[in-house]
Amino acid sequence: MSVKHSLLALLYENPGHGYELKTGFERLVQGMWPLNAGQVYSTLDRLERDKLVESPGYDEKDRKLYVITELGKRELWDWLKQPVARSLLKDEFYFKYLCADLVDYEEKQNMIQKQKETMIKDILALTQLKKQMNESQQYSMKMLIEGALLHLEADIKWLDMILQD
Amino acid sequence: MIETIGVKREFRTGKDTVSVLKGVNLFVNKGEFVAIIGPSGSGKSTLLQLLGGLDVPTEGSIILNGSTMEAKTEKQRTIFRRRNIGFVFQNYQLLPTLTVHENIVFPLHADGKKVSEYDVQKLLKAVDLKGRDKWYPHELSGGQQQRVAIARALINQPDILLADEPTGNLDRRRSSDILDLLSKFHSERKQTIIMVTHDMFAAGYADRVVLFKDGVIETEVRREEDDYAAFLSRFMA
Ligand SMILES: Nc1ncnc2c1ncn2[C@@H]1O[C@H](COP(=O)(O)OP(=O)(O)OP(=O)(O)O)[C@@H](O)[C@H]1O
Ligand SMILES: [Mg+2]
């Protein structure tokens, strides 16, 4: 799971405490995926239970510190090494498209049209975000956005295809 | 600031007169980024040529930064263009007997300005043509020529950039790099950009999209308007 492995990666170079990891994670995703503190602490508890991290003690402000273990590093490498398959049905819209036929949904064309508009809004928003990433020289995040834009391009082509039949 | 007032353009072919622009009224503020879209043959390139002072209207008026273009002589228009406008042609129009480097610095030379080698190299890098300085246009692919044309249009740091499908021949990666470059010029230098495009992703960079149809502006919509996405969805494939 991505939060777990991101925390391992954030701990890879230096020990850290929960709050540091929360802000580190949010920086990693440019604030686009807010984590609550509870999520961070429960993930750290699980990592500690599984011996992927351990605690050398507390810092001067009495915050519990964590370091990655050898087992944790191995887990991180294994995770990086595994390719990720794309599942056909991961997109909720695909289900709407299938289910619209089941119920003979009269607004199907309109539903597709609205979906296309939503994707165009996403393109516009991502294009703006890409500008910001360019200005702040966040290369990896910029490339993620390029990837998302390419997906959107394909999605729109597909929507145009099903709009026609 | 760019303004066209009732601009018409007719062409004579043999005995026939074809009316290509039929009364175009367009107002573009300084620092705006406008995308022009519309069917093939609707007059987009013709309008851009007029805006760039490469041609004059049969009727109507074109005012750029306060100067009326049709009131100038051809020579005055050329000088005005060199100093204020960068133009990317749909078919690139590189000079075949000049190298990449010579093509890029041509607008500066023609205007008797000094060439900063640093600026040239920076632009060559930005359009991903580093090391191609000495190549000739016929030795380059269509996409590479297009990128030389873009570098040439930007070398004199123009107030106004007129670009006719500047990403038409580029793959998505390069097209994205070029649009990022234009957008950087636009925001850092408050450059006014008018770009003709068929590409939704290119239009995504604009503040406003103008739909051209049969020689007139049919409609236009601004980014901040609610129906911007619906508009793009309807008119762009
Ligand atoms: N010099 C000319 N003489 C005669 N007709 C011309 C001339 N220039 C343009 N036209 C005509 O004007 C019309 C519009 O051409 P223009 O190049 O402006 O279209 P466009 O909107 O840029 O199309 P595209 O998207 O294919 O580039 C065309 O029908 C073309 O034949
Ligand atoms: Mg054209």
CSV table of all heavy atoms in Angstrom, one decimal, chain A residues 113 116-118 120-121 123-125 127-128 130-131 134-135 139 142-143 146 149-150 152-153 156 160, chain B residues 172-173 176-177 180 183 186-187 200-201 203-207 223 226 228-230 232-234 236-237:
chain,number,residue,atom,x,y,z
A,113,GLN,N,-21.5,12.7,-22.3
A,113,GLN,CA,-21.1,14.1,-22.6
A,113,GLN,C,-20.6,14.8,-21.3
A,113,GLN,O,-19.6,15.5,-21.3
A,113,GLN,CB,-22.3,14.8,-23.1
A,113,GLN,CG,-22.0,16.2,-23.8
A,113,GLN,CD,-21.2,16.0,-25.0
A,113,GLN,OE1,-21.5,15.3,-25.9
A,113,GLN,NE2,-20.1,16.7,-25.1
A,116,LYS,N,-17.2,13.7,-20.4
A,116,LYS,CA,-16.2,14.3,-21.2
A,116,LYS,C,-15.9,15.7,-20.7
A,116,LYS,O,-14.7,16.1,-20.6
A,116,LYS,CB,-16.7,14.4,-22.7
A,116,LYS,CG,-15.6,14.8,-23.6
A,116,LYS,CD,-16.1,14.8,-25.1
A,116,LYS,CE,-15.2,15.6,-25.9
A,116,LYS,NZ,-15.8,15.9,-27.3
A,117,GLU,N,-16.9,16.5,-20.3
A,117,GLU,CA,-16.7,17.8,-19.8
A,117,GLU,C,-15.9,17.8,-18.5
A,117,GLU,O,-15.0,18.6,-18.3
A,117,GLU,CB,-18.0,18.5,-19.5
A,117,GLU,CG,-18.6,19.1,-20.7
A,117,GLU,CD,-20.0,19.7,-20.5
A,117,GLU,OE1,-20.2,20.3,-19.4
A,117,GLU,OE2,-20.9,19.5,-21.3
A,118,THR,N,-16.2,16.8,-17.7
A,118,THR,CA,-15.5,16.7,-16.4
A,118,THR,C,-14.0,16.4,-16.7
A,118,THR,O,-13.1,17.0,-16.0
A,118,THR,CB,-16.1,15.6,-15.6
A,118,THR,OG1,-17.4,15.9,-15.3
A,118,THR,CG2,-15.3,15.4,-14.3
A,120,ILE,N,-12.3,17.3,-19.3
A,120,ILE,CA,-11.7,18.5,-19.9
A,120,ILE,C,-11.4,19.5,-18.7
A,120,ILE,O,-10.3,20.1,-18.7
A,120,ILE,CB,-12.6,19.2,-20.9
A,120,ILE,CG1,-12.7,18.3,-22.2
A,120,ILE,CG2,-12.1,20.6,-21.3
A,120,ILE,CD1,-13.7,18.7,-23.2
A,121,LYS,N,-12.3,19.6,-17.8
A,121,LYS,CA,-12.0,20.4,-16.6
A,121,LYS,C,-10.7,19.9,-15.9
A,121,LYS,O,-9.9,20.7,-15.4
A,121,LYS,CB,-13.2,20.4,-15.6
A,121,LYS,CG,-14.3,21.3,-16.0
A,121,LYS,CD,-15.4,21.4,-15.0
A,121,LYS,CE,-16.5,22.2,-15.5
A,121,LYS,NZ,-17.8,21.8,-15.1
A,123,ILE,N,-8.3,18.4,-17.3
A,123,ILE,CA,-7.1,18.8,-18.2
A,123,ILE,C,-6.8,20.2,-17.9
A,123,ILE,O,-5.6,20.6,-17.7
A,123,ILE,CB,-7.5,18.6,-19.7
A,123,ILE,CG1,-7.6,17.2,-20.0
A,123,ILE,CG2,-6.4,19.3,-20.6
A,123,ILE,CD1,-8.0,16.9,-21.5
A,124,LEU,N,-7.8,21.1,-17.8
A,124,LEU,CA,-7.5,22.5,-17.5
A,124,LEU,C,-6.8,22.7,-16.2
A,124,LEU,O,-5.8,23.4,-16.1
A,124,LEU,CB,-8.8,23.3,-17.6
A,124,LEU,CG,-9.5,23.4,-19.0
A,124,LEU,CD1,-10.8,24.0,-18.9
A,124,LEU,CD2,-8.6,24.1,-20.0
A,125,ALA,N,-7.3,22.0,-15.2
A,125,ALA,CA,-6.8,22.1,-13.8
A,125,ALA,C,-5.3,21.6,-13.8
A,125,ALA,O,-4.4,22.2,-13.2
A,125,ALA,CB,-7.6,21.4,-12.8
A,127,THR,N,-3.3,21.3,-16.3
A,127,THR,CA,-2.4,22.2,-17.1
A,127,THR,C,-1.9,23.4,-16.2
A,127,THR,O,-0.7,23.7,-16.3
A,127,THR,CB,-3.1,22.7,-18.3
A,127,THR,OG1,-3.6,21.6,-19.1
A,127,THR,CG2,-2.2,23.5,-19.2
A,128,GLN,N,-2.8,23.9,-15.4
A,128,GLN,CA,-2.4,25.0,-14.5
A,128,GLN,C,-1.4,24.5,-13.4
A,128,GLN,O,-0.4,25.1,-13.1
A,128,GLN,CB,-3.6,25.6,-13.8
A,128,GLN,CG,-4.6,26.3,-14.7
A,128,GLN,CD,-3.9,27.4,-15.4
A,128,GLN,OE1,-3.2,28.3,-14.8
A,128,GLN,NE2,-4.1,27.5,-16.7
A,130,LYS,N,0.5,22.0,-13.7
A,130,LYS,CA,1.8,21.7,-14.4
A,130,LYS,C,2.7,23.0,-14.5
A,130,LYS,O,3.9,23.0,-14.3
A,130,LYS,CB,1.6,21.1,-15.8
A,130,LYS,CG,2.8,20.8,-16.5
A,130,LYS,CD,2.6,19.7,-17.6
A,130,LYS,CE,1.9,20.3,-18.8
A,130,LYS,NZ,2.9,20.5,-19.9
A,131,LYS,N,2.0,24.1,-14.8
A,131,LYS,CA,2.7,25.4,-14.8
A,131,LYS,C,3.4,25.7,-13.5
A,131,LYS,O,4.6,26.1,-13.5
A,131,LYS,CB,1.7,26.5,-15.1
A,131,LYS,CG,1.5,26.9,-16.5
A,131,LYS,CD,0.8,28.2,-16.6
A,131,LYS,CE,-0.1,28.3,-17.8
A,131,LYS,NZ,-1.1,29.4,-17.8
A,134,ASN,N,6.3,23.5,-13.0
A,134,ASN,CA,7.4,23.9,-13.8
A,134,ASN,C,8.2,25.1,-13.2
A,134,ASN,O,9.4,25.1,-13.1
A,134,ASN,CB,6.9,24.5,-15.2
A,134,ASN,CG,7.1,23.5,-16.3
A,134,ASN,OD1,8.1,22.7,-16.2
A,134,ASN,ND2,6.2,23.5,-17.3
A,135,GLU,N,7.4,26.0,-12.6
A,135,GLU,CA,8.0,27.2,-12.0
A,135,GLU,C,8.8,26.8,-10.7
A,135,GLU,O,9.8,27.3,-10.5
A,135,GLU,CB,6.9,28.2,-11.6
A,135,GLU,CG,6.5,29.1,-12.9
A,135,GLU,CD,5.2,29.7,-12.7
A,135,GLU,OE1,4.7,29.9,-11.6
A,135,GLU,OE2,4.6,30.0,-13.8
A,139,TYR,N,10.2,18.3,-10.8
A,139,TYR,CA,10.3,17.5,-12.0
A,139,TYR,C,9.4,16.2,-12.0
A,139,TYR,O,8.7,15.9,-12.9
A,139,TYR,CB,11.7,17.2,-12.4
A,139,TYR,CG,11.8,16.4,-13.7
A,139,TYR,CD1,11.6,17.1,-14.9
A,139,TYR,CD2,12.1,15.1,-13.7
A,139,TYR,CE1,11.7,16.5,-16.1
A,139,TYR,CE2,12.1,14.4,-14.9
A,139,TYR,CZ,11.9,15.1,-16.1
A,139,TYR,OH,12.0,14.4,-17.3
A,142,LYS,N,5.8,17.0,-12.1
A,142,LYS,CA,5.4,17.4,-13.4
A,142,LYS,C,5.2,16.2,-14.3
A,142,LYS,O,4.3,16.2,-15.1
A,142,LYS,CB,6.5,18.4,-14.0
A,142,LYS,CG,6.2,18.9,-15.3
A,142,LYS,CD,7.4,19.5,-16.0
A,142,LYS,CE,7.1,19.4,-17.5
A,142,LYS,NZ,8.1,20.0,-18.3
A,143,MET,N,6.1,15.3,-14.2
A,143,MET,CA,6.0,14.1,-15.1
A,143,MET,C,4.8,13.3,-14.8
A,143,MET,O,4.2,12.7,-15.7
A,143,MET,CB,7.3,13.3,-15.1
A,143,MET,CG,8.5,13.9,-15.7
A,143,MET,SD,8.2,14.9,-17.2
A,143,MET,CE,8.0,13.6,-18.5
A,146,GLU,N,2.1,15.0,-16.6
A,146,GLU,CA,2.1,14.6,-18.0
A,146,GLU,C,1.5,13.3,-18.2
A,146,GLU,O,0.7,13.1,-19.2
A,146,GLU,CB,3.6,14.6,-18.5
A,146,GLU,CG,4.3,15.9,-18.5
A,146,GLU,CD,4.0,16.8,-19.7
A,146,GLU,OE1,3.0,16.5,-20.4
A,146,GLU,OE2,4.7,17.8,-19.9
A,149,LEU,N,-2.2,13.6,-18.0
A,149,LEU,CA,-2.8,14.2,-19.1
A,149,LEU,C,-2.9,13.3,-20.3
A,149,LEU,O,-3.9,13.3,-21.1
A,149,LEU,CB,-1.9,15.4,-19.5
A,149,LEU,CG,-2.1,16.7,-18.6
A,149,LEU,CD1,-1.0,17.7,-18.9
A,149,LEU,CD2,-3.4,17.3,-18.8
A,150,LEU,N,-1.9,12.4,-20.5
A,150,LEU,CA,-1.9,11.4,-21.5
A,150,LEU,C,-3.1,10.4,-21.3
A,150,LEU,O,-3.8,10.1,-22.3
A,150,LEU,CB,-0.6,10.6,-21.6
A,150,LEU,CG,0.6,11.4,-22.2
A,150,LEU,CD1,1.8,10.6,-22.0
A,150,LEU,CD2,0.3,11.6,-23.7
A,152,LEU,N,-5.9,11.2,-19.8
A,152,LEU,CA,-7.1,11.9,-20.1
A,152,LEU,C,-7.3,12.0,-21.6
A,152,LEU,O,-8.4,12.0,-22.0
A,152,LEU,CB,-7.0,13.3,-19.4
A,152,LEU,CG,-7.2,13.4,-17.9
A,152,LEU,CD1,-6.8,14.7,-17.3
A,152,LEU,CD2,-8.7,13.1,-17.6
A,153,GLU,N,-6.2,12.2,-22.3
A,153,GLU,CA,-6.3,12.3,-23.7
A,153,GLU,C,-7.0,11.0,-24.3
A,153,GLU,O,-7.9,11.0,-25.1
A,153,GLU,CB,-5.0,12.5,-24.4
A,153,GLU,CG,-5.0,12.6,-25.9
A,153,GLU,CD,-3.6,12.9,-26.5
A,153,GLU,OE1,-2.6,12.6,-25.8
A,153,GLU,OE2,-3.6,13.3,-27.6
A,156,ILE,N,-10.6,10.7,-23.3
A,156,ILE,CA,-11.5,11.6,-24.1
A,156,ILE,C,-11.7,10.9,-25.5
A,156,ILE,O,-12.8,10.9,-26.1
A,156,ILE,CB,-10.9,13.0,-24.2
A,156,ILE,CG1,-11.2,13.7,-22.9
A,156,ILE,CG2,-11.6,13.8,-25.4
A,156,ILE,CD1,-10.6,15.0,-22.8
A,160,ASP,N,-15.4,9.9,-27.0
A,160,ASP,CA,-15.8,10.3,-28.3
A,160,ASP,C,-16.3,9.1,-29.1
A,160,ASP,O,-17.2,9.1,-29.9
A,160,ASP,CB,-14.7,11.1,-29.1
A,160,ASP,CG,-14.6,12.5,-28.6
A,160,ASP,OD1,-15.6,13.1,-28.1
A,160,ASP,OD2,-13.5,13.1,-28.8
B,172,ARG,N,3.6,14.4,-28.5
B,172,ARG,CA,3.0,14.9,-27.3
B,172,ARG,C,4.1,15.5,-26.3
B,172,ARG,O,3.9,16.5,-25.7
B,172,ARG,CB,2.1,13.8,-26.6
B,172,ARG,CG,1.4,14.2,-25.4
B,172,ARG,CD,0.4,15.4,-25.4
B,172,ARG,NE,-0.8,15.2,-26.2
B,172,ARG,CZ,-1.4,16.2,-26.8
B,172,ARG,NH1,-0.9,17.4,-26.8
B,172,ARG,NH2,-2.5,15.9,-27.5
B,173,ARG,N,5.2,14.8,-26.2
B,173,ARG,CA,6.2,15.2,-25.3
B,173,ARG,C,6.8,16.5,-25.7
B,173,ARG,O,6.9,17.5,-24.9
B,173,ARG,CB,7.3,14.1,-25.2
B,173,ARG,CG,8.5,14.5,-24.4
B,173,ARG,CD,8.2,14.5,-23.0
B,173,ARG,NE,9.2,15.1,-22.2
B,173,ARG,CZ,10.2,14.5,-21.6
B,173,ARG,NH1,10.4,13.3,-21.8
B,173,ARG,NH2,11.1,15.2,-20.9
B,176,SER,N,4.3,19.4,-25.5
B,176,SER,CA,4.1,19.8,-24.1
B,176,SER,C,5.3,20.7,-23.7
B,176,SER,O,5.1,21.7,-23.0
B,176,SER,CB,4.0,18.6,-23.2
B,176,SER,OG,4.2,18.9,-21.9
B,177,ASP,N,6.5,20.4,-24.1
B,177,ASP,CA,7.7,21.2,-23.8
B,177,ASP,C,7.5,22.6,-24.4
B,177,ASP,O,7.8,23.6,-23.8
B,177,ASP,CB,9.0,20.6,-24.3
B,177,ASP,CG,9.4,19.4,-23.5
B,177,ASP,OD1,8.8,19.2,-22.4
B,177,ASP,OD2,10.3,18.6,-23.9
B,180,ASP,N,4.9,24.6,-22.7
B,180,ASP,CA,5.4,25.1,-21.4
B,180,ASP,C,6.4,26.3,-21.6
B,180,ASP,O,6.3,27.2,-20.8
B,180,ASP,CB,6.2,24.0,-20.7
B,180,ASP,CG,5.3,22.9,-20.1
B,180,ASP,OD1,4.0,23.2,-20.0
B,180,ASP,OD2,5.7,21.8,-19.8
B,183,SER,N,4.3,29.3,-22.5
B,183,SER,CA,3.6,29.7,-21.3
B,183,SER,C,4.5,30.4,-20.3
B,183,SER,O,4.1,31.4,-19.6
B,183,SER,CB,2.9,28.5,-20.7
B,183,SER,OG,2.8,28.5,-19.3
B,186,HIS,N,5.0,33.8,-21.7
B,186,HIS,CA,3.8,34.5,-21.4
B,186,HIS,C,3.7,35.1,-20.0
B,186,HIS,O,3.4,36.2,-19.8
B,186,HIS,CB,2.6,33.6,-21.7
B,186,HIS,CG,1.3,34.1,-21.3
B,186,HIS,ND1,0.7,35.2,-21.9
B,186,HIS,CD2,0.4,33.7,-20.3
B,186,HIS,CE1,-0.5,35.4,-21.3
B,186,HIS,NE2,-0.7,34.5,-20.4
B,187,SER,N,4.0,34.2,-19.0
B,187,SER,CA,3.9,34.7,-17.6
B,187,SER,C,5.0,35.6,-17.2
B,187,SER,O,4.9,36.5,-16.5
B,187,SER,CB,3.6,33.6,-16.7
B,187,SER,OG,4.4,32.5,-16.9
B,200,MET,N,-6.7,20.3,-28.2
B,200,MET,CA,-7.4,20.7,-26.9
B,200,MET,C,-6.3,21.0,-25.8
B,200,MET,O,-6.5,21.8,-24.9
B,200,MET,CB,-8.2,19.5,-26.5
B,200,MET,CG,-8.6,19.5,-25.0
B,200,MET,SD,-10.4,19.8,-24.9
B,200,MET,CE,-11.0,18.3,-25.6
B,201,PHE,N,-5.2,20.2,-25.8
B,201,PHE,CA,-4.2,20.4,-24.8
B,201,PHE,C,-3.6,21.7,-24.9
B,201,PHE,O,-3.2,22.4,-23.9
B,201,PHE,CB,-3.2,19.3,-24.8
B,201,PHE,CG,-3.8,18.0,-24.3
B,201,PHE,CD1,-4.6,17.2,-25.2
B,201,PHE,CD2,-3.7,17.6,-23.0
B,201,PHE,CE1,-5.2,16.0,-24.7
B,201,PHE,CE2,-4.3,16.5,-22.5
B,201,PHE,CZ,-5.0,15.7,-23.4
B,203,ALA,N,-5.0,24.4,-26.3
B,203,ALA,CA,-6.1,25.3,-25.9
B,203,ALA,C,-6.2,25.4,-24.4
B,203,ALA,O,-6.5,26.5,-23.8
B,203,ALA,CB,-7.4,24.9,-26.5
B,204,GLY,N,-5.8,24.3,-23.7
B,204,GLY,CA,-5.8,24.3,-22.2
B,204,GLY,C,-4.9,25.3,-21.6
B,204,GLY,O,-5.1,25.7,-20.4
B,205,TYR,N,-4.0,25.9,-22.3
B,205,TYR,CA,-3.0,26.9,-21.8
B,205,TYR,C,-3.6,28.3,-21.9
B,205,TYR,O,-3.1,29.2,-21.3
B,205,TYR,CB,-1.7,26.8,-22.6
B,205,TYR,CG,-0.8,25.7,-22.2
B,205,TYR,CD1,-1.1,24.4,-22.7
B,205,TYR,CD2,0.3,25.9,-21.4
B,205,TYR,CE1,-0.2,23.3,-22.4
B,205,TYR,CE2,1.1,24.8,-21.0
B,205,TYR,CZ,0.9,23.5,-21.5
B,205,TYR,OH,1.7,22.5,-21.2
B,206,ALA,N,-4.6,28.5,-22.7
B,206,ALA,CA,-5.1,29.8,-23.1
B,206,ALA,C,-6.0,30.4,-22.0
B,206,ALA,O,-6.6,29.7,-21.2
B,206,ALA,CB,-5.8,29.8,-24.4
B,207,ASP,N,-6.1,31.7,-22.0
B,207,ASP,CA,-7.1,32.4,-21.1
B,207,ASP,C,-8.5,32.5,-21.8
B,207,ASP,O,-9.5,32.7,-21.1
B,207,ASP,CB,-6.7,33.9,-20.8
B,207,ASP,CG,-5.3,34.0,-20.3
B,207,ASP,OD1,-4.9,33.1,-19.5
B,207,ASP,OD2,-4.5,34.9,-20.7
B,223,ARG,N,-11.7,31.4,-19.9
B,223,ARG,CA,-11.4,30.3,-18.9
B,223,ARG,C,-12.3,30.3,-17.7
B,223,ARG,O,-12.7,29.3,-17.2
B,223,ARG,CB,-9.9,30.4,-18.6
B,223,ARG,CG,-9.5,29.5,-17.4
B,223,ARG,CD,-8.1,29.7,-17.1
B,223,ARG,NE,-7.2,29.1,-18.1
B,223,ARG,CZ,-6.9,27.8,-18.1
B,223,ARG,NH1,-7.4,27.0,-17.2
B,223,ARG,NH2,-6.2,27.3,-19.0
B,226,ASP,N,-18.2,29.5,-16.7
B,226,ASP,CA,-18.7,28.2,-16.3
B,226,ASP,C,-18.7,27.2,-17.4
B,226,ASP,O,-18.4,26.0,-17.3
B,226,ASP,CB,-20.1,28.2,-15.7
B,226,ASP,CG,-20.0,28.9,-14.3
B,226,ASP,OD1,-19.0,28.9,-13.7
B,226,ASP,OD2,-21.1,29.4,-13.8
B,228,TYR,N,-16.8,26.9,-20.0
B,228,TYR,CA,-15.6,26.8,-20.8
B,228,TYR,C,-15.3,25.3,-21.2
B,228,TYR,O,-15.1,25.1,-22.4
B,228,TYR,CB,-14.4,27.3,-19.9
B,228,TYR,CG,-13.1,27.5,-20.6
B,228,TYR,CD1,-13.0,28.6,-21.6
B,228,TYR,CD2,-12.0,26.8,-20.4
B,228,TYR,CE1,-11.8,28.8,-22.2
B,228,TYR,CE2,-10.8,27.0,-21.0
B,228,TYR,CZ,-10.7,28.1,-21.9
B,228,TYR,OH,-9.5,28.3,-22.5
B,229,ALA,N,-15.4,24.4,-20.3
B,229,ALA,CA,-15.2,23.0,-20.6
B,229,ALA,C,-16.2,22.5,-21.5
B,229,ALA,O,-15.9,21.7,-22.5
B,229,ALA,CB,-15.2,22.2,-19.3
B,230,ALA,N,-17.5,22.9,-21.4
B,230,ALA,CA,-18.6,22.4,-22.3
B,230,ALA,C,-18.3,22.9,-23.7
B,230,ALA,O,-18.5,22.2,-24.7
B,230,ALA,CB,-19.9,23.0,-21.8
B,232,LEU,N,-15.3,23.7,-25.0
B,232,LEU,CA,-14.2,22.9,-25.6
B,232,LEU,C,-14.7,21.5,-26.0
B,232,LEU,O,-14.3,21.0,-27.0
B,232,LEU,CB,-13.0,22.8,-24.6
B,232,LEU,CG,-12.3,24.1,-24.3
B,232,LEU,CD1,-11.1,23.8,-23.3
B,232,LEU,CD2,-11.7,24.7,-25.6
B,233,SER,N,-15.5,21.0,-25.2
B,233,SER,CA,-16.0,19.6,-25.4
B,233,SER,C,-16.8,19.6,-26.7
B,233,SER,O,-16.7,18.7,-27.5
B,233,SER,CB,-16.9,19.2,-24.2
B,233,SER,OG,-17.7,18.2,-24.6
B,234,ARG,N,-17.6,20.7,-27.0
B,234,ARG,CA,-18.4,20.7,-28.2
B,234,ARG,C,-17.6,20.9,-29.4
B,234,ARG,O,-17.8,20.4,-30.5
B,234,ARG,CB,-19.4,21.8,-28.0
B,234,ARG,CG,-20.7,21.7,-28.8
B,234,ARG,CD,-21.9,22.1,-28.1
B,234,ARG,NE,-21.7,23.0,-27.0
B,234,ARG,CZ,-21.9,24.3,-27.0
B,234,ARG,NH1,-22.2,24.9,-28.1
B,234,ARG,NH2,-21.6,25.1,-25.9
B,236,MET,N,-14.0,20.9,-29.9
B,236,MET,CA,-12.7,20.3,-30.1
B,236,MET,C,-12.8,18.8,-30.0
B,236,MET,O,-13.4,18.3,-29.1
B,236,MET,CB,-11.7,20.8,-29.1
B,236,MET,CG,-11.5,22.3,-29.2
B,236,MET,SD,-10.0,22.9,-28.4
B,236,MET,CE,-8.8,22.7,-29.7
B,237,ALA,N,-12.2,18.1,-30.9
B,237,ALA,CA,-12.3,16.6,-30.9
B,237,ALA,C,-11.3,16.1,-29.8
B,237,ALA,O,-10.4,16.7,-29.5
B,237,ALA,CB,-11.9,16.1,-32.3
